[in-house]
Amino acid sequence: LSARRSYWGELFKAATKDEEDLNLTMAPYYWDVVARVDRDGGPGNRLFFTAFAAKDRMELIFPEEEEGSPEVNEATNSIAMDIQFSRWILGWDKALGRNLTNSLRASYGRSSESGHVFGYFDFEGSGPFWQARNNLAWAATPHLTPNLGVDWLYTPYDYNVKVEGYRSSIQA
């Protein structure tokens, strides 16, 4: 189990709180967490479960600026980007013979992104993530291991974009 969180935003604010000539505020932020459990599934079998998630945010705030249109984004004095995701992975590795192994992975998760450039441009998107992967590996020699596999990925994603001067948003 592992978890982290940033503290740079707090340090930057503390270091620049008395700076009157600085007309920019930076607000970086992130956290992430990873958990993994491995299990011996008997002779030639290894099972595992992994879960991980993260959130990142970076924002540059220009207190003296008012750019673009609040109809596109109310934060007309900043540039920002947010990304967050989560994934859950089940895995099974199976020895099929002395030189033949199979690896199967199935995963699910969600992703989302959003951001803006003053009041000129705004976007947000989100959606689920499903994936299955199978790989068969044959150790033909100590220096040659051919692999044969299949990878399936399905990610229906909704996107919304606003641009100043355009009547409607674009969704895909």
Side-chain angles (χ1 to χ4, degrees):
L1 178 64
S2 171
R4 301 181 302 171
R5 185 194 182 282
S6 68
Y7 54 87
W8 289 108
E10 290 84 357
L11 289 175
F12 186 80
K13 285 178 187 176
T16 61
K17 71 178 183 179
D18 296 329
E19 293 292 326
E20 294 176 15
D21 294 334
L22 186 64
N23 289 325
L24 167 68
T25 301
M26 182 172 56
Y29 171 84
Y30 74 85
W31 65 259
D32 57 52
V33 63
V34 177
R36 180 168 168 132
V37 176
D38 285 87
R39 174 134 172 98
D40 182 0
N45 288 287
R46 185 177 69 88
L47 305 166
F48 69 86
F49 172 74
T50 303
F52 55 98
K55 182 175 183 178
D56 298 304
R57 176 172 180 74
M58 174 60 86
E59 186 172 23
L60 300 173
I61 303 167
F62 302 85
E64 309 281 321
E65 301 293 323
E66 291 292 327
E67 301 287 332
S69 169
E71 291 176 7
V72 172
N73 191 296
E74 291 181 5
T76 58
N77 66 344
S78 68
I79 300 170
M81 176 75 175
D82 290 283
I83 300 171
Q84 64 184 37
F85 66 89
S86 60
R87 297 284 185 275
W88 296 268
I89 304 169
L90 290 172
W92 176 30
D93 296 330
K94 170 79 174 162
L96 300 174
R98 197 174 69 154
N99 297 335
L100 192 62
T101 58
N102 192 73
S103 298
L104 177 64
R105 307 289 184 264
S107 66
Y108 170 76
R110 292 202 57 84
S111 296
S112 66
E113 297 88 30
S114 64
H116 66 271
V117 177
F118 299 105
Y120 295 120
F121 177 77
D122 182 270
F123 72 94
E124 56 182 88
S126 64
F129 172 96
W130 287 280
Q131 184 173 21
R133 170 180 281 184
N134 193 69
N135 187 73
L136 185 64
W138 173 48
T141 72
H143 303 290
L144 178 66
T145 304
N147 288 270
L148 176 65
V150 64
D151 199 357
W152 175 79
L153 176 65
Y154 180 65
T155 60
Y157 216 76
D158 291 322
Y159 233 85
N160 187 13
V161 177
K162 296 178 190 175
V163 180
E164 184 183 32
Y166 288 87
R167 292 183 307 158
S168 63
S169 297
I170 302 167
Q171 285 194 325

PDB file of all heavy atoms in Angstrom, residues 28-46:
ATOM      1  N   PRO A  28      -0.190  24.116  -7.586  1.00  0.00           N
ATOM      2  CA  PRO A  28      -0.077  22.708  -7.975  1.00  0.00           C
ATOM      3  C   PRO A  28      -0.607  21.816  -6.849  1.00  0.00           C
ATOM      4  O   PRO A  28      -0.515  22.162  -5.676  1.00  0.00           O
ATOM      5  CB  PRO A  28       1.428  22.514  -8.160  1.00  0.00           C
ATOM      6  CG  PRO A  28       2.035  23.492  -7.210  1.00  0.00           C
ATOM      7  CD  PRO A  28       1.081  24.669  -7.167  1.00  0.00           C
ATOM      8  N   TYR A  29      -1.161  20.694  -7.223  1.00  0.00           N
ATOM      9  CA  TYR A  29      -1.722  19.779  -6.252  1.00  0.00           C
ATOM     10  C   TYR A  29      -1.765  18.388  -6.865  1.00  0.00           C
ATOM     11  O   TYR A  29      -2.119  18.247  -8.034  1.00  0.00           O
ATOM     12  CB  TYR A  29      -3.141  20.225  -5.876  1.00  0.00           C
ATOM     13  CG  TYR A  29      -3.905  19.233  -5.045  1.00  0.00           C
ATOM     14  CD1 TYR A  29      -3.750  19.205  -3.676  1.00  0.00           C
ATOM     15  CD2 TYR A  29      -4.774  18.322  -5.633  1.00  0.00           C
ATOM     16  CE1 TYR A  29      -4.442  18.288  -2.896  1.00  0.00           C
ATOM     17  CE2 TYR A  29      -5.463  17.402  -4.862  1.00  0.00           C
ATOM     18  CZ  TYR A  29      -5.306  17.395  -3.499  1.00  0.00           C
ATOM     19  OH  TYR A  29      -5.982  16.491  -2.748  1.00  0.00           O
ATOM     20  N   TYR A  30      -1.416  17.353  -6.096  1.00  0.00           N
ATOM     21  CA  TYR A  30      -1.622  15.985  -6.559  1.00  0.00           C
ATOM     22  C   TYR A  30      -1.731  15.062  -5.362  1.00  0.00           C
ATOM     23  O   TYR A  30      -1.260  15.356  -4.264  1.00  0.00           O
ATOM     24  CB  TYR A  30      -0.509  15.498  -7.493  1.00  0.00           C
ATOM     25  CG  TYR A  30       0.792  15.175  -6.806  1.00  0.00           C
ATOM     26  CD1 TYR A  30       1.016  13.931  -6.229  1.00  0.00           C
ATOM     27  CD2 TYR A  30       1.815  16.115  -6.734  1.00  0.00           C
ATOM     28  CE1 TYR A  30       2.205  13.628  -5.602  1.00  0.00           C
ATOM     29  CE2 TYR A  30       3.003  15.820  -6.109  1.00  0.00           C
ATOM     30  CZ  TYR A  30       3.192  14.575  -5.548  1.00  0.00           C
ATOM     31  OH  TYR A  30       4.360  14.293  -4.917  1.00  0.00           O
ATOM     32  N   TRP A  31      -2.379  13.956  -5.584  1.00  0.00           N
ATOM     33  CA  TRP A  31      -2.356  12.833  -4.660  1.00  0.00           C
ATOM     34  C   TRP A  31      -2.464  11.565  -5.477  1.00  0.00           C
ATOM     35  O   TRP A  31      -2.994  11.565  -6.575  1.00  0.00           O
ATOM     36  CB  TRP A  31      -3.433  12.903  -3.579  1.00  0.00           C
ATOM     37  CG  TRP A  31      -4.849  12.805  -4.071  1.00  0.00           C
ATOM     38  CD1 TRP A  31      -5.709  13.843  -4.251  1.00  0.00           C
ATOM     39  CD2 TRP A  31      -5.576  11.625  -4.444  1.00  0.00           C
ATOM     40  NE1 TRP A  31      -6.917  13.389  -4.706  1.00  0.00           N
ATOM     41  CE2 TRP A  31      -6.873  12.017  -4.838  1.00  0.00           C
ATOM     42  CE3 TRP A  31      -5.265  10.270  -4.494  1.00  0.00           C
ATOM     43  CZ2 TRP A  31      -7.829  11.110  -5.272  1.00  0.00           C
ATOM     44  CZ3 TRP A  31      -6.230   9.367  -4.931  1.00  0.00           C
ATOM     45  CH2 TRP A  31      -7.492   9.800  -5.297  1.00  0.00           C
ATOM     46  N   ASP A  32      -1.926  10.486  -4.949  1.00  0.00           N
ATOM     47  CA  ASP A  32      -2.098   9.192  -5.588  1.00  0.00           C
ATOM     48  C   ASP A  32      -2.017   8.094  -4.529  1.00  0.00           C
ATOM     49  O   ASP A  32      -1.464   8.285  -3.451  1.00  0.00           O
ATOM     50  CB  ASP A  32      -1.103   8.944  -6.721  1.00  0.00           C
ATOM     51  CG  ASP A  32       0.339   9.043  -6.306  1.00  0.00           C
ATOM     52  OD1 ASP A  32       0.738   8.376  -5.327  1.00  0.00           O
ATOM     53  OD2 ASP A  32       1.080   9.786  -6.959  1.00  0.00           O
ATOM     54  N   VAL A  33      -2.633   6.968  -4.855  1.00  0.00           N
ATOM     55  CA  VAL A  33      -2.649   5.828  -3.955  1.00  0.00           C
ATOM     56  C   VAL A  33      -2.566   4.555  -4.798  1.00  0.00           C
ATOM     57  O   VAL A  33      -3.126   4.500  -5.896  1.00  0.00           O
ATOM     58  CB  VAL A  33      -3.904   5.831  -3.048  1.00  0.00           C
ATOM     59  CG1 VAL A  33      -5.173   5.712  -3.855  1.00  0.00           C
ATOM     60  CG2 VAL A  33      -3.831   4.742  -1.999  1.00  0.00           C
ATOM     61  N   VAL A  34      -1.820   3.568  -4.307  1.00  0.00           N
ATOM     62  CA  VAL A  34      -1.673   2.277  -4.976  1.00  0.00           C
ATOM     63  C   VAL A  34      -1.789   1.185  -3.907  1.00  0.00           C
ATOM     64  O   VAL A  34      -1.179   1.285  -2.846  1.00  0.00           O
ATOM     65  CB  VAL A  34      -0.303   2.139  -5.684  1.00  0.00           C
ATOM     66  CG1 VAL A  34      -0.156   0.758  -6.306  1.00  0.00           C
ATOM     67  CG2 VAL A  34      -0.102   3.219  -6.707  1.00  0.00           C
ATOM     68  N   ALA A  35      -2.569   0.163  -4.225  1.00  0.00           N
ATOM     69  CA  ALA A  35      -2.678  -1.006  -3.340  1.00  0.00           C
ATOM     70  C   ALA A  35      -2.545  -2.250  -4.206  1.00  0.00           C
ATOM     71  O   ALA A  35      -3.077  -2.305  -5.318  1.00  0.00           O
ATOM     72  CB  ALA A  35      -4.023  -1.010  -2.620  1.00  0.00           C
ATOM     73  N   ARG A  36      -1.837  -3.260  -3.685  1.00  0.00           N
ATOM     74  CA  ARG A  36      -1.660  -4.501  -4.451  1.00  0.00           C
ATOM     75  C   ARG A  36      -1.637  -5.674  -3.479  1.00  0.00           C
ATOM     76  O   ARG A  36      -1.014  -5.604  -2.421  1.00  0.00           O
ATOM     77  CB  ARG A  36      -0.370  -4.461  -5.257  1.00  0.00           C
ATOM     78  CG  ARG A  36      -0.180  -5.758  -6.046  1.00  0.00           C
ATOM     79  CD  ARG A  36       0.895  -5.629  -7.053  1.00  0.00           C
ATOM     80  NE  ARG A  36       1.240  -6.938  -7.577  1.00  0.00           N
ATOM     81  CZ  ARG A  36       1.360  -7.194  -8.853  1.00  0.00           C
ATOM     82  NH1 ARG A  36       1.176  -6.246  -9.743  1.00  0.00           N
ATOM     83  NH2 ARG A  36       1.686  -8.395  -9.263  1.00  0.00           N
ATOM     84  N   VAL A  37      -2.309  -6.743  -3.899  1.00  0.00           N
ATOM     85  CA  VAL A  37      -2.330  -7.988  -3.141  1.00  0.00           C
ATOM     86  C   VAL A  37      -1.946  -9.102  -4.100  1.00  0.00           C
ATOM     87  O   VAL A  37      -2.534  -9.217  -5.183  1.00  0.00           O
ATOM     88  CB  VAL A  37      -3.743  -8.262  -2.554  1.00  0.00           C
ATOM     89  CG1 VAL A  37      -3.772  -9.613  -1.858  1.00  0.00           C
ATOM     90  CG2 VAL A  37      -4.161  -7.156  -1.616  1.00  0.00           C
ATOM     91  N   ASP A  38      -0.953  -9.890  -3.725  1.00  0.00           N
ATOM     92  CA  ASP A  38      -0.526 -11.049  -4.517  1.00  0.00           C
ATOM     93  C   ASP A  38      -0.896 -12.315  -3.760  1.00  0.00           C
ATOM     94  O   ASP A  38      -0.833 -12.355  -2.531  1.00  0.00           O
ATOM     95  CB  ASP A  38       0.991 -11.016  -4.734  1.00  0.00           C
ATOM     96  CG  ASP A  38       1.404  -9.993  -5.758  1.00  0.00           C
ATOM     97  OD1 ASP A  38       1.613  -8.824  -5.384  1.00  0.00           O
ATOM     98  OD2 ASP A  38       1.498 -10.367  -6.927  1.00  0.00           O
ATOM     99  N   ARG A  39      -1.256 -13.336  -4.520  1.00  0.00           N
ATOM    100  CA  ARG A  39      -1.632 -14.618  -3.909  1.00  0.00           C
ATOM    101  C   ARG A  39      -1.048 -15.758  -4.728  1.00  0.00           C
ATOM    102  O   ARG A  39      -1.124 -15.753  -5.956  1.00  0.00           O
ATOM    103  CB  ARG A  39      -3.139 -14.731  -3.879  1.00  0.00           C
ATOM    104  CG  ARG A  39      -3.636 -16.069  -3.394  1.00  0.00           C
ATOM    105  CD  ARG A  39      -4.738 -15.886  -2.398  1.00  0.00           C
ATOM    106  NE  ARG A  39      -5.340 -17.161  -2.084  1.00  0.00           N
ATOM    107  CZ  ARG A  39      -5.036 -17.872  -1.023  1.00  0.00           C
ATOM    108  NH1 ARG A  39      -4.113 -17.437  -0.198  1.00  0.00           N
ATOM    109  NH2 ARG A  39      -5.641 -19.003  -0.776  1.00  0.00           N
ATOM    110  N   ASP A  40      -0.506 -16.718  -4.037  1.00  0.00           N
ATOM    111  CA  ASP A  40      -0.026 -17.934  -4.687  1.00  0.00           C
ATOM    112  C   ASP A  40      -1.243 -18.798  -4.960  1.00  0.00           C
ATOM    113  O   ASP A  40      -1.957 -19.201  -4.039  1.00  0.00           O
ATOM    114  CB  ASP A  40       0.956 -18.648  -3.765  1.00  0.00           C
ATOM    115  CG  ASP A  40       1.542 -19.904  -4.378  1.00  0.00           C
ATOM    116  OD1 ASP A  40       1.185 -20.238  -5.536  1.00  0.00           O
ATOM    117  OD2 ASP A  40       2.357 -20.548  -3.700  1.00  0.00           O
ATOM    118  N   GLY A  41      -1.491 -19.073  -6.224  1.00  0.00           N
ATOM    119  CA  GLY A  41      -2.656 -19.859  -6.613  1.00  0.00           C
ATOM    120  C   GLY A  41      -2.362 -21.329  -6.788  1.00  0.00           C
ATOM    121  O   GLY A  41      -3.101 -22.023  -7.480  1.00  0.00           O
ATOM    122  N   GLY A  42      -1.326 -21.826  -6.209  1.00  0.00           N
ATOM    123  CA  GLY A  42      -0.964 -23.236  -6.373  1.00  0.00           C
ATOM    124  C   GLY A  42       0.173 -23.376  -7.360  1.00  0.00           C
ATOM    125  O   GLY A  42       0.694 -22.386  -7.886  1.00  0.00           O
ATOM    126  N   PRO A  43       0.580 -24.590  -7.664  1.00  0.00           N
ATOM    127  CA  PRO A  43       1.720 -24.808  -8.560  1.00  0.00           C
ATOM    128  C   PRO A  43       1.535 -24.131  -9.931  1.00  0.00           C
ATOM    129  O   PRO A  43       0.543 -24.363 -10.618  1.00  0.00           O
ATOM    130  CB  PRO A  43       1.766 -26.329  -8.718  1.00  0.00           C
ATOM    131  CG  PRO A  43       1.030 -26.870  -7.538  1.00  0.00           C
ATOM    132  CD  PRO A  43       0.009 -25.836  -7.180  1.00  0.00           C
ATOM    133  N   GLY A  44       2.465 -23.253 -10.249  1.00  0.00           N
ATOM    134  CA  GLY A  44       2.447 -22.586 -11.551  1.00  0.00           C
ATOM    135  C   GLY A  44       1.422 -21.477 -11.698  1.00  0.00           C
ATOM    136  O   GLY A  44       1.237 -20.952 -12.794  1.00  0.00           O
ATOM    137  N   ASN A  45       0.740 -21.083 -10.637  1.00  0.00           N
ATOM    138  CA  ASN A  45      -0.287 -20.029 -10.691  1.00  0.00           C
ATOM    139  C   ASN A  45       0.068 -18.882  -9.758  1.00  0.00           C
ATOM    140  O   ASN A  45       0.458 -19.102  -8.607  1.00  0.00           O
ATOM    141  CB  ASN A  45      -1.647 -20.592 -10.254  1.00  0.00           C
ATOM    142  CG  ASN A  45      -2.238 -21.511 -11.277  1.00  0.00           C
ATOM    143  OD1 ASN A  45      -2.707 -21.065 -12.309  1.00  0.00           O
ATOM    144  ND2 ASN A  45      -2.207 -22.817 -11.005  1.00  0.00           N
ATOM    145  N   ARG A  46      -0.080 -17.674 -10.262  1.00  0.00           N
ATOM    146  CA  ARG A  46       0.094 -16.470  -9.444  1.00  0.00           C
ATOM    147  C   ARG A  46      -1.082 -15.560  -9.739  1.00  0.00           C
ATOM    148  O   ARG A  46      -1.380 -15.253 -10.900  1.00  0.00           O
ATOM    149  CB  ARG A  46       1.403 -15.762  -9.786  1.00  0.00           C
ATOM    150  CG  ARG A  46       1.692 -14.585  -8.874  1.00  0.00           C
ATOM    151  CD  ARG A  46       3.033 -13.936  -9.196  1.00  0.00           C
ATOM    152  NE  ARG A  46       3.011 -13.265 -10.482  1.00  0.00           N
ATOM    153  CZ  ARG A  46       2.633 -11.998 -10.669  1.00  0.00           C
ATOM    154  NH1 ARG A  46       2.258 -11.261  -9.658  1.00  0.00           N
ATOM    155  NH2 ARG A  46       2.661 -11.468 -11.877  1.00  0.00           N
TER     156      ARG A  46
END
